[in-house]
Amino acid sequence: MTSYVSHDEQLFAQLLLNFIQESPSAFHAVESVKKMLVPQGFQELPYKEKWSLFPGGKYYVTRNDSALIAFVVGEGLPEKHGFHLIGAHTDSPSFRVKPLPEIPVEGHYLKLNVETYGGPILNTWLDRPLSLAGRIILRGDSPFSPQTKHFRSELPLLVIPNLAIHMNRKVNEGFELNKQKDMLPLLTQITEGLEKEGVLMHHLAKTLQCPLEDILDFDLFLHEYEKGCIVGLQQEFISSGRLDDLAMIHAGSWALAKAKPSLFTQVLACFDHEECGSTSKQGAASPFLSHVLERILLALKKDREAYFQALAHSFLISADMAHALHPNSGEKLDPVNRPILNGGPVIKISANQSYTTDAETAAIFTALCQRAGVTVQKFVNRSDERGGSTIGPISSTHLDLRSVDIGNPVLAMHSVRELGGVKDHLAIANVFSEFYQTL
């Protein structure tokens, strides 16, 4: 009997799970992208210095340690061939640790004060091993040049315990969780040997092997401790946290890493803060991408007129995950357009411009899928439901270029553990590879 999922599809899905496991925060995701690009000859550009670029050269630049733009300089005239861009985001819904986070409970427990980041499905975070990841800011030689250290606990440190059904009889009838009261994770039990205050800071200092007083601040987020896995009778599903949107980050990085230089400039933009509006210096609403694109042309001795001409010859694939048909809630989808897991990438369409897709750009993406031998699906919201948006429309406010919004189908989007299709991941990577090579 022929296997529904091929060996190559299984292998590539496992590479995605490894990538996600190594990327518990946006900061770590950027490092994971670097690990894919640097061995292929990509060089880091200092954002604060003048760039010297060459046709065919491979480069990347970072912002805030949590966003990255990588590119292969085109060998043709940029004003004639423009850019082929893929945009995705490094962040996922989570909980961020607040300053002075320790909250003692009646002298027995110590919990952490956290703030909800983005729009997670709250109850999926309960009763499971959680840990911490992010970055720590240490004292440097100058107040304006602090040191940055990435942090990731190798142990499961936290759990957000549910309230027993005996104390909450209506829990299965629908119970609203309070973000300040019900979603604070338990860190430890208060014992004699425990520090009287600054327990988390002491733990960070011990882990980083640095003096406590050198830690000036931190950006720390909760994440699921358990690694994702492949599930299903035919091993056809990917069960993992942060598929939204690390699956697109991984596929785009793989495609760019293997891309050969073309006449146009190939670009991968990995933004941060999509889950909370993109309005940061490293988000899609910032001038980060437009500045990088213009600086590429300036480094090639081109002027601003050439930059605008280049944009007119460019195309952006805004890659963020899409909703699939739910086996228990089929009525939530449009009556006709009903994407399924393992049915191929999804073109996302909105009459009210929540997505940038129009008929022309949808046709272009469909043609790319056909060239790659990949089936394509379409998603539109029910007419009585308001859907989400993504980086495509935000980028369009800064860049005058053609764009399409697409993504692989998933179930349980924004759950601590989402469900995607094994076949879809290699399919979208092959489409991205085709996009980076097709004139």
Side-chain angles (χ1 to χ4, degrees):
M1 188 173 96
T2 304
S3 174
Y4 175 58
V5 179
S6 72
H7 174 73
D8 287 346
E9 289 167 340
Q10 288 273 2
L11 181 61
F12 199 61
Q14 192 59 55
L15 291 176
L16 170 61
L17 290 175
N18 296 341
F19 180 88
I20 292 174
Q21 180 69 6
E22 294 301 313
S23 309
S25 74
F27 308 106
H28 292 83
V30 165
E31 287 301 310
S32 296
V33 172
K34 290 182 188 179
K35 289 177 183 177
M36 296 180 69
L37 297 180
V38 171
Q40 304 305 317
F42 283 79
Q43 306 172 47
E44 184 167 12
L45 294 171
Y47 202 72
K48 297 179 180 179
E49 298 177 14
K50 188 175 181 178
W51 295 351
S52 178
L53 307 179
F54 302 94
K58 301 178 177 182
Y59 309 94
Y60 70 89
V61 60
T62 64
R63 203 85 168 104
N64 190 55
D65 302 322
S66 61
L68 175 147
I69 296 176
F71 56 92
V72 181
V73 179
E75 296 180 330
L77 293 173
E79 64 269 32
K80 297 297 183 183
H81 298 284
F83 306 96
H84 281 204
L85 306 101
I86 296 172
H89 63 91
T90 58
D91 61 320
S92 300
S94 178
F95 298 85
R96 178 175 174 169
V97 179
K98 292 182 179 180
L100 303 174
E102 294 96 348
I103 299 178
V105 181
E106 299 184 15
H108 299 295
Y109 305 126
L110 196 66
K111 60 185 180 181
L112 291 186
N113 195 12
V114 296
E115 181 179 4
T116 305
Y117 176 82
I121 301 177
L122 298 179
N123 61 15
T124 64
W125 287 78
L126 303 178
D127 304 324
R128 64 177 65 231
L130 304 173
S131 203
L132 289 174
R135 67 175 178 179
I136 314 296
I137 307 300
L138 304 175
R139 193 182 314 277
D141 296 332
S142 161
F144 294 99
S145 302
Q147 298 180 56
T148 299
K149 296 284 187 181
H150 288 178
F151 173 84
R152 175 187 185 170
S153 175
E154 296 301 323
L155 298 173
L157 291 179
L158 306 157
V159 67
I160 306 173
N162 226 318
L163 186 62
I165 194 170
H166 313 83
M167 301 177 183
N168 184 12
R169 292 289 183 182
K170 295 187 177 182
V171 64
N172 291 327
E173 299 174 22
F175 175 73
E176 183 176 359
L177 293 166
N178 183 283
K179 294 176 182 178
Q180 183 60 64
K181 174 184 177 295
D182 300 315
M183 301 308 298
L184 303 187
L186 176 64
L187 174 64
T188 190
Q189 194 152 13
I190 297 175
T191 60
E192 271 191 30
L194 200 68
E195 293 86 0
K196 298 302 180 186
E197 56 183 40
V199 172
L200 179 61
M201 296 293 280
H202 277 91
H203 174 72
L204 298 178
K206 182 179 179 181
T207 303
L208 295 178
Q209 298 182 329
C210 70
L212 178 64
E213 58 272 16
D214 281 359
I215 299 178
L216 301 180
D217 214 328
F218 54 76
D219 292 310
L220 291 177
F221 295 84
L222 275 61
H223 69 93
E224 184 193 24
Y225 180 76
E226 300 292 343
K227 185 178 180 179
C229 62
I230 296 175
V231 302
L233 181 63
Q234 301 177 81
Q235 295 290 278
E236 67 267 52
F237 304 128
I238 304 173
S239 172
S240 176
R242 304 186 301 285
L243 288 176
D244 176 17
D245 192 31
L246 292 186
M248 297 297 97
I249 294 285
H250 177 257
S253 300
W254 176 84
L256 186 65
K258 69 188 289 288
K260 296 178 181 178
S262 183
L263 292 175
F264 52 82
T265 296
Q266 302 136 318
V267 183
L268 174 67
C270 306
F271 295 108
D272 192 8
H273 293 152
E274 188 275 344
E275 298 293 356
C276 58
S278 297
T279 54
S280 66
K281 65 182 181 299
Q282 56 271 13
S286 75
F288 182 33
L289 178 57
S290 60
H291 284 180
V292 168
L293 298 182
E294 185 169 5
R295 290 182 70 176
I296 291 172
L297 268 76
L298 291 173
L300 297 174
K301 312 300 182 186
K302 301 293 181 177
D303 58 17
R304 193 164 176 78
E305 173 62 25
Y307 170 63
F308 289 126
Q309 290 180 33
L311 292 182
H313 289 281
S314 299
F315 194 92
L316 167 68
I317 295 178
S318 168
D320 203 355
M321 303 304 270
H323 298 296
L325 172 67
H326 196 286
N328 300 328
S329 300
E331 74 280 359
K332 291 295 184 179
L333 279 189
D334 178 77
V336 178
N337 298 281
R338 303 170 73 78
I340 61 169
L341 299 181
N342 290 310
V346 180
I347 299 173
K348 300 189 287 186
I349 302 165
S350 169
N352 294 310
Q353 298 303 297
S354 295
Y355 305 121
T356 59
T357 307
D358 56 33
E360 181 190 19
T361 60
I364 290 170
F365 185 78
T366 299
L368 288 170
C369 289
Q370 291 172 347
R371 288 176 66 105
V374 170
T375 57
V376 66
Q377 309 181 87
K378 290 184 177 179
F379 170 85
V380 289
N381 285 298
R382 282 177 55 107
S383 298
D384 55 358
E385 290 279 356
R386 180 179 177 271
S389 188
T390 183
I391 61 175
I394 295 171
S395 297
S396 292
T397 65
H398 298 270
L399 294 168
D400 182 12
L401 46 72
R402 293 180 296 174
S403 176
V404 64
D405 274 286
I406 62 96
N408 270 350
V410 290
L411 295 173
M413 188 183 291
H414 287 196
S415 170
V416 74
R417 204 168 178 101
E418 299 160 326
L419 192 71
V422 169
K423 297 174 73 66
D424 291 330
H425 190 54
L426 182 56
I428 193 63
N430 286 333
V431 176
F432 287 169
S433 186
E434 187 68 38
F435 174 65
Y436 278 144
Q437 295 303 135
T438 303
L439 290 171

